[in-house]
């Protein structure tokens, strides 16, 4: 029974909510305390408590201390190993320590702003099991994204194909030129 979704980089929880509302079990990782707090309320209000496990923290291959700048509500920075002024210390998790290698994962979503390769390394046993049905990887044609895809292919016994939308694709509703303020556009960029 492939009823488990793993959401690395939950952000505001859209993907987690979609999976939970569809009856799937979810393990979601998010370093931002404010985002986890808001999603926890959504889980409570929707009665998903038995299906959704929220883990406030980032992903790292060796479980080292991470830091996140949570000063912006919709922050666009990943957890990092660099502390400093305005940063909050957060726990880090190894995927293999949270998800059993024999778990039947229907979707592994990895969108953590540059930690994708490390996320795959931290889940090498899970990936090597061959039980993943699908991987949703944030892919932006960067060197980091290419390295993440290569690492996934290296660790997995299954061949993975990458389906990529063409650069410059314009979708209905994606034009934010009518948004009144620059700060609102920043949320989506």
């Amino acid at each position: 029974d492939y009823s488990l979704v793993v959401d690395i980089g939950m952000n505001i929880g859209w993907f987690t909510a979609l999976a939970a509302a569809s009856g799937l079990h979810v393990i979601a990782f998010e370093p931002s305390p404010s985002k986890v707090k808001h999603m926890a309320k959504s889980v409570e209000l929707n009665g998903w408590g038995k299906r959704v496990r929220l883990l406030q923290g980032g992903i790292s291959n060796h479980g080292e201390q991470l830091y996140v700048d949570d000063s912006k509500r919709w922050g666009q920075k990943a957890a990092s190993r660099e502390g400093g002024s305005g940063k909050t210390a957060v726990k880090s998790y190894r995927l293999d320590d949270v998800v059993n290698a024999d778990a039947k994962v229907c979707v592994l979503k990895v969108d953590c702003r540059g930690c994708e390769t490390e996320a795959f390394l931290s889940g090498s046993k899970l990936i090597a099991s061959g039980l993943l049905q699908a991987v949703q990887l944030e892919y932006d044609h960067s060197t980091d994204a290419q390295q993440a895809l290569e690492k996934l292919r290296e660790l997995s016994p299954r061949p993975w194909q990458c389906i990529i939308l063409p650069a410059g694709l314009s979708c209905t509703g994606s034009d934010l030129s009518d948004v009144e303020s620059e700060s609102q556009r920043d949320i989506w960029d």
Side-chain angles (χ1 to χ4, degrees):
D1 180 18
Y2 286 88
S3 62
L4 178 62
V5 170
V6 177
D7 186 353
I8 298 174
M10 178 189 74
N11 200 327
I12 62 172
W14 181 88
F15 195 81
T16 291
L18 179 64
S22 299
L24 299 169
H25 294 268
V26 182
I27 299 173
F29 300 86
E30 173 56 46
S32 168
S34 62
K35 291 175 186 171
V36 172
K37 177 183 170 187
H38 286 94
M39 188 59 193
K41 187 66 174 175
S42 184
V43 167
E44 176 190 333
L45 291 171
N46 286 287
W48 299 331
K50 292 183 180 179
R51 287 199 307 262
V52 176
R53 180 177 174 199
L54 301 176
L55 297 173
Q56 198 258 306
I59 292 286
S60 69
N61 191 30
H62 301 292
E64 53 272 67
Q65 182 69 61
L66 297 175
Y67 300 87
V68 65
D69 180 355
D70 204 31
S71 61
K72 288 183 173 179
R73 184 170 183 192
W74 309 108
Q76 298 195 13
K77 301 233 175 182
S80 72
R81 290 179 180 84
E82 296 176 22
S85 178
K87 294 199 175 179
T88 303
V90 296
K91 182 174 181 162
S92 71
Y93 296 90
R94 292 188 71 258
L95 188 57
D96 281 338
D97 293 340
V98 177
V99 181
N100 293 329
D102 61 352
K104 294 181 176 178
V105 177
C106 61
V107 179
L108 170 63
K109 179 206 142 224
V110 185
D111 180 358
C112 50
R113 305 257 177 216
C115 83
E116 291 82 6
T117 299
E118 190 152 0
F120 291 145
L121 285 167
S122 81
S124 59
K125 292 177 186 173
L126 175 66
I127 294 168
S129 75
L131 295 175
L132 290 176
Q133 292 297 295
V135 174
Q136 180 181 333
L137 170 65
E138 178 183 44
Y139 193 89
D140 60 5
H141 303 279
S142 68
T143 302
D144 286 343
Q146 183 59 40
Q147 288 173 345
L149 182 58
E150 289 171 10
K151 186 55 64 180
L152 173 64
R153 288 176 171 158
E154 175 187 317
L155 294 170
S156 178
R158 298 177 63 189
W160 289 96
Q161 293 181 337
C162 189
I163 300 170
I164 303 173
L165 297 175
L169 179 71
S170 177
C171 299
T172 303
S174 67
D175 181 14
L176 295 175
S177 60
D178 61 342
V179 173
E180 293 179 20
S181 76
E182 187 69 28
S183 62
Q184 286 177 313
R185 281 194 295 273
D186 287 347
I187 291 171
W188 303 104
D189 290 341

